[in-house]
Amino acid sequence: QVQLQESGPGLVKASETLSVTCTVSGGSFSSYYWSWIRQPPGKGLEWIGYMHNSGTTFYNPSLKSRVTISVDTSKNQFSLKVSSVTAADTAVYYCAKVNGGLQTDYWGQGTLVTVSS
Amino acid sequence: QSALTQPASVSGSPGQSITVSCTGTRSDIGTYNYVSWYQQHPGKAPKLMIYEVSNRPSAVPDRFSGSKSGNTASLTISGLQAEDEADYYCSSYTTSSTLVFGGGTKVTVL
């Protein structure tokens, strides 16, 4: 049973860089896509991007210029960075596993990141 | 990429059947059978309910079913139960090798 756990700062100042890390346990870290999804308070899900453990990355075009996803296979972790944040980046950030059928089958519990001015 | 289009809300009485639609384009739903549906209860992470248009994970009750026609996918809940009240999101793979979600549908059990 794969488990994912996000860890993040909780509060980030506007114009700075948001960083969130996801630790994966209970399964192989290889041969899947590792994804980030966010959900602003009271709103819907927004796909941010994903990375294959081989290093291939794909991003939501609307966020591509500010987002970086990286993976550290030695620690079974992958990370998200969002630069130049504004209040619109305030959201619950979920990490998730995407399998070969391109469904997001395992999700972390989510971590709320609030951007303050 | 634009979000997939879902109705904001759908409601039904216990025991009834409801259908939630999810409309995309030829760049996503119309090209691939990689359509998934997720259930989200308040304060919880989403849960995979349907994958590859119509397949159910083993733990999901068989009253949940999925289908697709052209650029539109659908989730049907038969024999609606109180615990089915939640938000539902569709998702599709796209021709840009990305994923896209729908705006979400609130299902209310009357």
Side-chain angles (χ1 to χ4, degrees), chain A residues 35-83:
Chain A
S35 183
W36 289 98
I37 299 111
R38 71 181 183 179
Q39 185 171 36
K43 296 188 178 181
L45 301 173
E46 180 179 34
W47 182 76
I48 298 172
Y50 54 27
M51 168 177 250
H52 190 265
N53 71 302
S54 66
T56 306
T57 55
F58 295 93
Y59 298 117
N60 186 324
S62 67
L63 297 169
K64 187 175 184 177
S65 64
R66 299 192 297 125
V67 169
T68 302
I69 296 174
S70 58
V71 63
D72 185 340
T73 55
S74 67
K75 295 181 179 179
N76 274 18
Q77 292 180 334
F78 62 107
S79 299
L80 169 72
K81 293 186 186 296
V82 182
S83 63

Side-chain angles (χ1 to χ4, degrees), chain B:
Chain B
Q1 61 191 26
S2 299
L4 306 174
T5 301
Q6 298 182 232
S9 63
V10 173
S11 62
S13 300
Q16 287 187 328
S17 292
I18 62 166
T19 297
V20 180
S21 62
C22 171
T23 301
T25 69
R26 284 179 294 180
S27 296
D28 38 67
I29 294 176
T31 295
Y32 298 105
N33 286 329
Y34 294 127
V35 177
S36 305
W37 288 90
Y38 303 88
Q39 176 191 66
Q40 187 181 36
H41 286 110
K44 301 294 187 181
K47 173 187 175 183
L48 178 66
M49 304 300 285
I50 296 287
Y51 66 95
E52 293 176 18
V53 175
S54 59
N55 295 303
R56 271 180 296 104
S58 56
V60 173
D62 61 6
R63 63 178 184 276
F64 290 87
S65 62
S67 62
K68 188 187 92 166
S69 178
N71 296 339
T72 299
S74 298
L75 171 72
T76 298
I77 309 175
S78 305
L80 195 62
Q81 298 187 6
E83 61 261 36
D84 300 333
E85 184 162 296
D87 293 326
Y88 291 82
Y89 295 90
C90 59
S91 174
S92 176
Y93 185 64
T94 80
T95 53
S96 299
S97 301
T98 60
L99 296 177
V100 62
F101 282 99
T105 298
K106 182 175 181 59
V107 169
T108 301
V109 181
L110 300 171

